[in-house]
Amino acid sequence: MKITNAKVIVCSPGRNFVTLKIYTDQGVYGLGDATLNGMEKAVVSYLEDYCIPSLIGKDPRNTEDIWQYFYRGVYWRRGAVSMTAVSAIDMALWDIKGKMLNTPLYNLLGGKSREKVMVYCHANGKDLSETMEKVGSEINKGFKAVRVQSGVPGIEHTYGVSKDSKFYEPAHKGLPHEESWETSKYLNFVPTLFKKVRELYGDNIHLLHDAHHRCSPIEASRLAQELEPYHLFWLEDPVSGELQEGLRLIRQHSTTPIAIGEVFNSIYDYTTLITEQLIDYIRMPLVHGGGITHLLKVAAMASVYQINTGFHGATDLSPVNLAAAIHFNTAVNNFGIQEYMPHQEIVNEVFKTNYRFDDGFLTIDDSPGIGVDIDEKAALKFPYSMARLPVNRKTDGTMFNW
Ligand code: CS2
Ligand code: MG
């Protein structure tokens, strides 16, 4: 069996998506998500100029060897752009494998460990009362887990709060917008936010919060400690993850579970965090973390340390990634939770999906492979338009983490 061709489909039904399509001499093709929000064209070039020429002629069934070829075989390895390309290739090859064996992807990953996967949604508002309303409406939709983000008094625009109370999309058309931030105001406000949620909605709803890389280790330790009475399901990205040992301090001060890694792209970003049990959930998604082949290894390593999966699943990861993630989550034993921000309706004009949301859970059907298809003609109606993630400065002008 041989790979005969591959192409990259870039489209923008509501937002930019990048999809890799790999063709074989058996007439079967596979899809992989190659979307990297704000850096889409870099991945397109890496795939078209560096990966695809070497893919042609390879046997698509050799997922392990092809993964190693594009990881170990590359001198300048790792990084978000190259690993997103590797992930897309890997996802497409597993899609082909499932189609050739006429079985859904989860059957190739160990079969069903569960019938459905618990998801969490986003609830955000410009202030406390709008956020409380949004939490209530998400609970009414059946979600058992809600990520709560709110505007912070005294900060003009806070991460995670959508402008139009519909879809939260952080990328803006054109060059990066500048946002401003003040950690002290944020730290003073967040415990009040969760006190209010618990008062209104009780203890049974799982609550999550994303600090989005914005605290120092000692600030994160304070926040995690002050949130303990509200029993969060997790506090996400409390610090920026480059300094893995920085999370030791949080562990010393708090029992609030920690999730990290949506910006990670290989197991090497996790080694200290996992082996020292500094985290409770791995966020690195299939689309940025080396695909199914690599995440199987990461999830296996995490399971030894009783760490569960909690994959990133924002709307800037495509339906191909989400479907593959549901297969993965259906199969692995140490599944924790899956982020689920429903894509805009218009996305369904391009991507034909095979998953269903019902009462707080997602299920995947038994279509062979990943089971999502792309309507290339429809994709042409939505051409790429440049959009960038914001940059963030502290109120004194210092460049900071967005
Ligand atoms: C966020 C994302 O969903 C999350 O946890 O961190 O919304 C993230 O900001 C975007 O994916 C960036 O493109
Ligand atoms: Mg996040």
Side-chain angles (χ1 to χ4, degrees):
M1 187 173 178
K2 293 254 177 286
I3 292 170
T4 52
N5 193 6
K7 70 175 169 184
V8 185
I9 302 160
V10 186
C11 62
S12 194
R15 68 155 343 273
N16 292 317
F17 291 111
V18 181
T19 307
L20 173 67
K21 190 167 182 176
I22 297 181
Y23 299 87
T24 68
D25 57 2
Q26 306 295 310
V28 170
Y29 62 81
L31 297 182
D33 183 11
T35 308
L36 185 62
N37 198 6
M39 298 173 73
E40 293 86 357
K41 285 301 186 94
V43 181
V44 173
S45 158
Y46 190 77
L47 279 167
E48 288 179 343
D49 302 333
Y50 296 91
C51 298
I52 290 175
S54 305
L55 260 179
I56 309 300
K58 285 189 174 12
D59 184 332
R61 293 168 295 190
N62 299 337
T63 42
E64 181 64 27
D65 183 62
I66 292 174
W67 193 91
Q68 297 294 344
Y69 182 91
F70 287 109
Y71 178 80
R72 195 177 300 281
V74 175
Y75 189 68
W76 311 109
R77 60 181 74 152
R78 291 169 67 188
V81 171
S82 56
M83 292 309 288
T84 299
V86 171
S87 306
I89 293 166
D90 188 71
M91 247 185 259
L93 297 182
W94 279 91
D95 193 20
I96 289 165
K97 202 187 284 276
K99 288 173 177 174
M100 288 305 292
L101 296 170
N102 193 27
T103 191
L105 175 59
Y106 64 74
N107 269 343
L108 304 178
L109 309 179
K112 284 189 171 181
S113 295
R114 55 197 61 77
E115 289 300 325
K116 55 187 182 178
V117 301
M118 183 169 79
V119 296
Y120 73 89
C121 63
H122 285 204
N124 61 75
K126 63 180 181 310
D127 53 29
L128 211 51
S129 64
E130 192 178 272
T131 305
M132 291 307 119
E133 246 176 72
K134 199 73 174 64
V135 172
S137 72
E138 295 306 311
I139 293 172
N140 293 339
K141 288 177 193 167
F143 284 100
K144 312 303 180 221
V146 182
R147 187 190 87 160
V148 185
Q149 307 290 137
S150 170
V152 174
I155 298 184
E156 194 198 330
H157 176 69
T158 309
Y159 157 73
V161 180
S162 48
K163 292 205 175 41
D164 60 4
S165 80
K166 272 210 314 290
F167 299 95
Y168 170 61
E169 169 52 71
H172 302 274
K173 298 252 179 280
L175 292 175
H177 284 211
E178 293 226 346
E179 295 187 354
S180 75
W181 176 256
E182 201 167 326
T183 307
S184 58
K185 290 193 167 70
Y186 166 76
L187 291 174
N188 293 337
F189 172 71
V190 173
T192 319
L193 172 68
F194 283 92
K195 182 170 188 299
K196 191 77 186 150
V197 182
R198 283 296 183 215
E199 280 168 2
L200 283 180
Y201 298 109
D203 287 334
N204 292 333
I205 186 78
H206 292 302
L207 298 179
L208 303 90
H209 182 66
D210 191 346
H212 219 256
H213 325 276
R214 304 213 178 165
C215 297
S216 67
I218 197 66
E219 290 167 342
S221 303
R222 168 189 157 188
L223 179 61
Q225 200 177 63
E226 290 180 0
L227 288 174
E228 278 184 14
Y230 313 115
H231 307 123
L232 264 60
F233 186 90
W234 81 35
L235 173 61
E236 177 185 341
D237 284 333
V239 292
S240 63
E242 294 97 321
L243 184 69
Q244 293 190 48
E245 53 273 37
L247 278 99
R248 287 178 188 147
L249 205 57
I250 305 172
R251 252 349 188 210
Q252 286 162 18
H253 292 275
S254 168
T255 57
T256 296
I258 301 295
I260 200 162
E262 71 179 46
V263 295
F264 290 178
N265 46 74
S266 90
I267 201 162
Y268 300 103
D269 294 322
Y270 271 119
T271 35
T272 306
L273 296 173
I274 290 176
T275 53
E276 293 188 16
Q277 294 181 295
L278 302 179
I279 57 171
D280 304 278
Y281 297 92
I282 51 174
R283 291 273 296 147
M284 186 168 76
L286 299 175
V287 59
H288 301 140
I292 289 126
T293 298
H294 198 49
L295 260 301
L296 282 173
K297 294 173 175 135
V298 178
M301 180 180 178
S303 70
V304 172
Y305 294 86
Q306 301 178 50
I307 294 168
N308 291 334
T309 63
F311 290 160
H312 185 200
T315 43
D316 46 274
L317 287 62
S318 96
V320 178
N321 170 75
L322 181 55
I326 301 167
H327 283 286
F328 194 100
N329 294 329
T330 299
V332 294
N333 174 267
N334 60 323
F335 164 69
I337 197 166
Q338 170 65 47
E339 181 174 8
Y340 177 50
M341 286 173 74
H343 290 101
Q344 297 177 58
E345 210 32 59
I346 194 170
V347 173
N348 297 325
E349 290 191 33
V350 176
F351 292 94
K352 306 307 165 195
T353 58
N354 60 330
Y355 45 80
R356 210 166 63 81
F357 172 78
D358 179 38
D359 198 29
F361 293 79
L362 278 173
T363 49
I364 195 94
D365 76 7
D366 282 344
S367 321
I370 295 174
V372 170
D373 207 352
I374 187 166
D375 179 335
E376 292 188 51
K377 263 177 70 205
L380 290 173
K381 291 188 313 189
F382 305 102
Y384 167 81
S385 66
M386 182 178 112
R388 290 285 182 277
L389 286 173
V391 293
N392 193 26
R393 290 182 185 277
K394 290 184 181 174
T395 40
D396 71 357
T398 309
M399 183 49 71
F400 192 50
N401 307 328
W402 174 73

